[in-house]
Amino acid sequence: MVRAMEDILANASAEQDSVSVSYLQLYLETVQDLLAPEKDNLTISEDPRTGDVSLPGATCVEVRHPKSFLELLEAGEANRIAANTKMNTESSRSHALLLVNVKKSVKAKQEKESTASNENGSSLQLSKSHSLMTIRKSKLLIVDLAGSERVDKSGSEGHLLEEAKFINLSLTALGKCINALAENSPHVPIRDSKLTRLLRDSFGGTARTSLVITIGPSSQHRAETMSTILFGQRAMKVENMVKLREEFDYKSLCRKLEADLDRLIAENERQNKLVLDTEEQLQKRAEEAELTIQQAERKAKVLLEESHAKKLKLQKENLDSIRRLQQECSLLEKELKENAVKLQSEKEAAVVEKEMQIQNERAKKQQEKEEYIEEYQHKLEELNKKFEAERAERESIERRLQEIEDCMEGQNKLELDDQENLNELAKKMEEESHSRERATRELGEWKLQGAFIASNETAGLKDEVKLLKQEIEEQCKQKEVLEKEVKDLKQQMLQLSYDTDETRKVLEKGPTRVSLGAESPMSLSKAHHMRETVNGQRATIAKLFEQVGLHKILSLLESEDVDVRVHAVKVVANLAAEESNQEKIVESGGIVSLLRLLDSSQDDIIRRVAAGAIANLAMTETNQELIMAQNGTRLLVRTANETDDPQTLRMVAGAIANLCGNEKLQARLREDGGIIALLGMARSRHPDVLAQIARGIANFAKCESRAARGQKREKSLLIEDGALPWIVENATNEISAVRRHIELALCHLAQHEVNAVDLIAAGALWELVRISKECSREDIRILATKNITSSSSFQSELKKL
């Protein structure tokens, strides 16, 4: 098929020749259109005059390049019905017919004057200035016949058995026709089958016919091989009469003559009316010029009056605003002076009050100190009295000892008895000396305690004085802040006067005009056509799903043939687009099969379609958790890092964006590198990819904001992974979908005070201010305004300006 089309297109002229293609299949004795699957029962019609066979309802596509023909052929092959039998894993269950119609224009030059006969037999005289166009029509019919099969070998049963019956019946009818032609039978049973009706010109007709038979070398199939060879031998006996089909293009000649006649009539009329038209045009131009001048004068007068009125109005408004600001400044200065006086008086009263408190506390401390000193002195006096009493007692004891020593000489007999008394007295002397030492130490400790208490009181007074000084310094700083605010107000007044001058200059230059355009309704019709095409494809896929079964389709994802895997994953992706099929796909292990295919395949088409199917399935929380449990995020991240195809990146970004909408999986998603992968896909700069990235970031920020309600919030994971600079950069993106999602993400990030410092540092505060004023959505504007007014950090940053 491909080589034949390449040869035809190489010898065809794009200006004069036309090549159109129809691709059909004969399935269950019904003619179906492979290029438009919804046309599943086409009718066959025959021209009663010429006997030509045609299919009026078949899709006929004009082809000019081999590439476009290959695309049509692939689309038709995808819709052709095949099944798995014991004899063949992809057994064709229908006969495929490629119908190519070629029309070639041939010019025959007429020297002087010629006569041509038309279809009715009348003659037509042609002058030498006109050449009669001849159209040569050709038709190429390439048929891929489904092989005949024996049920005991192929194992067909059920619906496959019904298909095999119709295949064998159509092939039997073809064999009967060939046998009748080979034997020169007067009756050829052409109408026994639609296949023989379509192939009427190929045997016994006016076409050149070639037959290719397919046999196998196995001795097991010797009977089939013999019957096939005999069928080919009988077909070789059929003789065709080749006939060249040419006809005159009377329609083009008639159109040319009518065009020449119209041209001559128009030229005659143009010459007759040329003078009158010229005079009328000159008169009209003169009148239009006068009207234009008058209108221009009126418009200029009206514009001057309007600009003068606007100028006066703006001057009045500016004077009123300047006067109002001056009044506000004077009121603020008065308030500042009053506040300064009030602060000064309050400061002096506080100082006096503090000094009185310090004096009272000093007097109280002094009184307590004197009481402590009196108590210490009283204790010292008691200790001195006790010491004096002990000393007197000691002296009396010493006198007694002296007396005893004097009496010792005369009382030698009583020496032993008195020795014990002496020992007791010595012990008492030692005890008295120890008690005196203890009293001396206690007196020293009391003196040290008194000195320590006095030093502590002095240090406490110094600390209080320092606190008073700090309070006075803070009041001075507040006064400086108020003075700075007054200075800023004065600068604003100067800026307002400058803006007034600039406005006046712009008004003096004059107004400008803005032109608006309109959209064409072609986009609506194109969208409607695309919607009808998609609905037709989905109906065909649903029919295939009912006939084959989901488990068989999923098993084809592991086929060794790349084309089989491509078609299978496309079918699964289209099924996943319908919400009613998603649960069946998940129950049959579709998510695991798609992830395994995404992990093992290196084909861009397979990756793109598999990622799209995963994105469709990742719409529910249950499927999202299942994808995360199968390490789906890491596979998506790896795919995003390995490919640069925008469509593949769009599908991967859409899948990750859906996963970002689950607040339970955010920590795991961030650990697997989902956020960083989203930001990395921005390298594509494709609008659809950027829109999916922005949607994912908005979903992530929204879930973060919802999960943090009523809890102590840490810094956003988006900010920690470096997403904030990209968010600020694309807040004013030209693409509305990107801009809307980014604005929503900024509003959710700004809801938590912990993110305020980073937002201010990255310049996001000014984007929030712009969103609160210019955003097209009212709910986002309200949310941005609420975030700005409720954040103390934002308010303090705005007051600095």
Side-chain angles (χ1 to χ4, degrees), residues 695-709:
R695 184 171 70 86
I697 290 175
N699 288 343
F700 198 98
K702 182 178 180 180
C703 290
E704 270 192 334
S705 177
R706 187 167 54 221
R709 290 177 182 172

Side-chain angles (χ1 to χ4, degrees), residues 513-562:
R513 297 183 180 179
V514 178
S515 62
L516 300 174
E519 293 182 353
S520 173
M522 292 298 293
S523 59
L524 297 176
S525 62
K526 185 176 180 181
H528 180 69
H529 178 68
M530 292 177 66
R531 195 182 301 111
E532 290 180 350
T533 304
V534 171
N535 291 334
Q537 291 178 355
R538 288 182 178 177
T540 304
I541 291 171
K543 186 176 180 180
L544 179 63
F545 169 69
E546 293 175 359
Q547 292 176 353
V548 178
L550 184 58
H551 288 285
K552 291 185 179 180
I553 296 174
L554 292 176
S555 65
L556 293 177
L557 296 177
E558 299 177 359
S559 175
E560 295 180 357
D561 191 352
V562 178

Side-chain angles (χ1 to χ4, degrees), residues 105-125:
S105 299
V106 181
K107 287 185 178 181
K109 293 289 184 177
Q110 305 293 332
E111 293 182 356
K112 291 184 179 179
E113 204 173 79
S114 61
T115 303
S117 61
N118 57 14
E119 295 176 354
N120 298 326
S122 60
S123 62
L124 177 65
Q125 298 293 329

Side-chain angles (χ1 to χ4, degrees), residues 85 94 112 121 199 315 322 329 363 390 539 659 691 777:
T85 64
S94 64
K112 291 184 179 179
L199 301 179
Q315 288 178 353
I322 291 170
C329 288
E390 289 176 354
L659 294 175
R777 286 180 54 179

Side-chain angles (χ1 to χ4, degrees), residues 461-593:
L461 293 173
K462 290 181 180 179
D463 294 337
E464 291 177 355
V465 171
K466 287 182 180 179
L467 291 174
L468 285 173
K469 288 182 178 179
Q470 290 178 358
E471 290 179 358
I472 292 169
E473 289 177 356
E474 289 178 357
Q475 292 174 357
C476 293
K477 289 181 179 179
Q478 290 179 359
K479 183 178 179 181
E480 291 177 357
V481 171
L482 292 173
E483 291 176 354
K484 187 176 181 182
E485 289 179 356
V486 172
K487 187 177 179 181
D488 293 339
L489 287 173
K490 290 180 179 179
Q491 290 179 356
Q492 289 179 4
M493 288 177 64
L494 293 174
Q495 182 66 29
L496 183 60
S497 63
Y498 174 76
D499 293 339
T500 303
D501 295 337
E502 291 295 327
T503 306
R504 184 173 64 253
K505 292 178 181 178
V506 172
L507 288 174
E508 290 174 356
K509 291 181 180 179
T512 58
R513 297 183 180 179
V514 178
S515 62
L516 300 174
E519 293 182 353
S520 173
M522 292 298 293
S523 59
L524 297 176
S525 62
K526 185 176 180 181
H528 180 69
H529 178 68
M530 292 177 66
R531 195 182 301 111
E532 290 180 350
T533 304
V534 171
N535 291 334
Q537 291 178 355
R538 288 182 178 177
T540 304
I541 291 171
K543 186 176 180 180
L544 179 63
F545 169 69
E546 293 175 359
Q547 292 176 353
V548 178
L550 184 58
H551 288 285
K552 291 185 179 180
I553 296 174
L554 292 176
S555 65
L556 293 177
L557 296 177
E558 299 177 359
S559 175
E560 295 180 357
D561 191 352
V562 178
D563 294 333
V564 175
R565 292 202 303 270
V566 170
H567 292 303
V569 75
K570 286 182 179 179
V571 172
V572 175
N574 281 282
L575 290 173
E578 296 290 333
E579 189 176 356
S580 58
N581 300 328
Q582 292 180 358
E583 185 177 358
K584 298 177 183 178
I585 294 173
V586 175
E587 290 176 355
S588 302
I591 291 179
V592 178
S593 299

Side-chain angles (χ1 to χ4, degrees), residues 425-452:
L425 290 173
K427 290 180 180 179
K428 288 182 178 180
M429 290 287 290
E430 289 178 359
E431 290 177 358
E432 287 177 359
S433 62
H434 288 317
S435 62
R436 185 175 180 182
E437 289 176 359
R438 283 198 300 274
T440 305
R441 286 197 299 271
E442 289 178 357
L443 181 60
E445 290 176 357
W446 281 107
K447 288 180 179 180
L448 290 172
Q449 288 179 0
F452 179 71

Side-chain angles (χ1 to χ4, degrees), residues 203-249:
F203 49 86
T206 62
R208 291 192 178 95
T209 303
S210 298
L211 177 66
V212 179
I213 61 174
T214 306
I215 61 175
S218 175
S219 59
Q220 181 182 358
H221 309 299
R222 180 175 297 164
E224 288 85 347
T225 301
M226 290 296 296
S227 63
T228 303
I229 292 173
L230 291 174
F231 175 76
Q233 285 181 342
R234 288 194 297 272
M236 291 174 64
K237 297 179 181 179
V238 178
E239 295 181 357
N240 289 355
M241 297 295 293
V242 180
K243 179 181 178 182
L244 182 65
R245 294 187 179 183
E246 290 184 349
E247 63 182 21
F248 296 117
D249 191 1

